Amino acid sequence: MNLISCCRWEEANHEDGVKWKFLEHKGPYFAVPYEPLPEDVHFCYDGEPMKLSLAAEEVATFYGKMLDHEYTTKEAFQKNFFGDWRAEMTKEERKIIKHLDKCDFTEIHKYFFDRNEERKALPKAEKQKLKEEASKLQEEYGYCILDGHREKIGNFKTEPPGLFRGRGDHPKMGMLKMRIRPEDVIINCSKDSTIPEPPPGHKWKEVRFDNTVTWLASWTENIQSAIKYIMLNPSSKLKGEKDWQKYETARRLKDVVGHIRSQYRKDWKSREMKKRQIAVALYFIDKLALRAGNEKEEGETADTVGCCSLRVEHIQLFPELDGQKHVVEFDFLGKDSIRYYNKVPVEKEVFKNLKRFMENKDPDDDLFDRLPTSTLNKHLQDLMDGLTAKVFRTYNASITLQNQLKELTNAEDNVAAKILSYNRANRAVALLCNHQRALPKTYEKSMQNLQAKIDAKEEQLKEAKKELKKAKAEHKKYNTEKTKKELEKKKKQKERLEEQLEKLKLMATDKEENKQIALGTSKLNYLDPRISVAWCKKFGVPIEKIYNKTQRDKFAWAIAMTNEDFEF
DNA sequence: AGCGAAACTTAGAATGGCGCGT
DNA sequence: ACGCGCCATTCTAAGTTTCGCT
């Protein structure tokens, strides 16, 4: 292990709750002020050009920029936008602009589209200059000093104003996200540090010196009244140690999970209904890697659920389905409105319990009544110190990777084949955690291209087979050295083509299976990096093949401490 | 104990940029 | 050189858990 890393990860910890002793930074970098449209770019109302006040114009540009986005076709988006936009208008503007469908943003849209194209077409030198400016900004605002280490900040810019883009069917989509001013921002740093200066003519909302939290600055956003934070980059010691701790907790679960499983199996037969509910919920969380499922405020967010907030309408019971007994069909929207759809055979007791939980309930009633996540987590806390619902996701994801790697890796394979095995193992985890992505826009086309290649190859193979047959016949007929050679050659050719075809087909399968699966989320958040580091060492795969630069920075702690015998 | 607020992790989409085949 | 497809990075929304108050 190298000395620097060793010291860095093994420095003495602070006393309870204290996250740092010294913290110094420059405060957030604010979004650039609005730049008015040129005179020749018009907003039109009812077919007539109309000059807008600065504030109204800025909001109009937010919508204009998004004109080709699906969002702007949604009624809720339009309605929310229009309401918030009108609030920014002058009285006179409000009197005129009464209907969104009479608003013409096309010139605005074109203006920003063209500007974007111009920027993309900039000569190399100009682009280089822009890049250097960005890196200067990063140097100045992107780092802080925390306990003597210069650490990278995760997000050092305030979020620019714009239109809120919620996920799924979000009731607030299209609302105006206000510009953040220094007067909105709370600064957190050390008393004895150089306290960041607000931009000239401005004041901070507050400067505080709270070393029990890790954030450097915060503000409250206007859509959900939620607090936004400026925090450190995952490569920082503070985040790294927390990450390490997370996986250590998951490893402790490994030791007691057997006991916990037999306990919840017993509890399926408890006389107490509440105990049964906890036991079934926990079974789902463990077996299916469901999230806890906190309650959400109705009408404030998209209607999504997790385990505890499942409703009767989200599951269907089949005593028998496709030759399997006691099948539960799940169909609900989870985090980010990603659909969870799964048909799972469950134990008879679980099935019976679910039936009871659903008795005399409406479709929109809670499946687990009176089971808030706090109750579940309290129960888990009693089973193991530090155990919460999400630890199961971490544990099951990591142990799945480890097991899959053991099963799929072939020591004799070359590096490329080993990486394929790794990705397969990774995919099993992504499937478990239901990590999905939208179909890539280019998917259809690239798949067609691939299919065309496959077709061409099949044609070639057919031809080669024909020739082989001919060569065989020739050889049989004449049986000379020459015909023998020819036969061998044709055989080889056929085999090579078959191999190539297999490879292409494999690629297609891989692409098909991966089209809606996102591997990154589990890799970054659920898989103990030490499993991957150990696997790389054991099988001689360079770590760079598994983790890119960012990921290596984030997992520096694991890369520094892990040898090939690590067991999760 | 129960709550709302605060803090922190996890998430997919959008954007940026780079390498590869033509 | 150029376009395009893919991977990395950025962005910020949406979760979970913890905190702190009554």
Side-chain angles (χ1 to χ4, degrees), chain A residues 59-71:
Chain A
V59 180
T61 64
F62 297 155
Y63 195 86
K65 282 177 191 171
M66 288 180 73
L67 231 45
D68 50 9
H69 199 289
E70 201 202 337
Y71 270 121

Side-chain angles (χ1 to χ4, degrees), chain A residues 119-132:
Chain A
R119 196 180 44 79
K120 278 192 234 165
L122 242 35
K124 234 186 187 152
E126 294 289 313
K127 274 190 178 168
Q128 189 57 35
K129 223 165 100 189
L130 288 175
K131 222 170 149 183
E132 272 158 28

Side-chain angles (χ1 to χ4, degrees), chain A residues 427-551:
Chain A
R427 183 153 65 204
V429 176
L431 222 53
L432 174 72
C433 294
N434 199 40
H435 290 142
Q436 298 186 25
R437 59 172 180 172
L439 255 191
K441 281 203 171 70
T442 51
Y443 175 78
E444 278 306 330
K445 216 174 120 194
S446 59
M447 202 59 177
Q448 266 170 20
N449 287 344
L450 193 55
Q451 191 56 49
K453 272 190 195 166
I454 291 175
D455 292 347
K457 197 61 79 182
E458 270 172 343
E459 203 51 48
Q460 281 176 32
L461 182 62
K462 222 162 98 188
E463 197 55 40
K465 277 181 177 167
K466 230 190 263 168
E467 282 175 27
L468 176 64
K469 216 171 155 186
K470 215 162 81 193
K472 259 185 194 159
E474 292 281 295
H475 183 55
K476 207 172 173 185
K477 198 163 159 195
Y478 302 110
N479 197 10
T480 66
E481 206 44 41
K482 196 177 161 201
T483 55
K484 190 178 168 195
K485 243 185 176 165
E486 183 69 9
L487 177 62
E488 284 304 313
K489 197 176 128 199
K490 293 294 172 196
K491 222 180 213 167
K492 276 241 172 73
Q493 192 172 31
K494 186 203 127 200
E495 275 162 15
R496 212 186 57 226
L497 283 169
E498 270 174 341
E499 219 169 272
Q500 285 172 347
L501 182 65
E502 273 321 294
K503 217 170 183 175
L504 281 173
K505 279 186 173 170
L506 196 73
M507 262 171 84
T509 314
D510 211 51
K511 211 182 175 89
E512 160 79 27
E513 282 175 4
N514 243 356
K515 68 179 175 185
Q516 279 176 306
I517 296 179
L519 300 184
T521 303
S522 51
K523 202 171 180 179
L524 225 52
N525 300 298
Y526 287 102
L527 301 176
D528 189 330
R530 291 170 296 183
I531 299 170
S532 303
V533 173
W535 179 84
C536 281
K537 290 197 171 159
K538 188 166 175 191
F539 293 103
V541 176
I543 192 77
E544 296 78 21
K545 300 278 183 187
I546 298 299
Y547 291 135
N548 66 34
K549 181 75 176 75
T550 314
Q551 293 163 340

Side-chain angles (χ1 to χ4, degrees), chain A residues 18 46 56 63 66 70 101 108 139 156 208 293 391 396 472 501 540 553 558:
Chain A
V18 172
D46 212 1
Y63 195 86
M66 288 180 73
E70 201 202 337
D101 49 15
I108 295 177
E139 279 301 310
F156 62 88
R208 64 172 75 158
V391 179
N396 279 311
K472 259 185 194 159
L501 182 65
D553 285 344

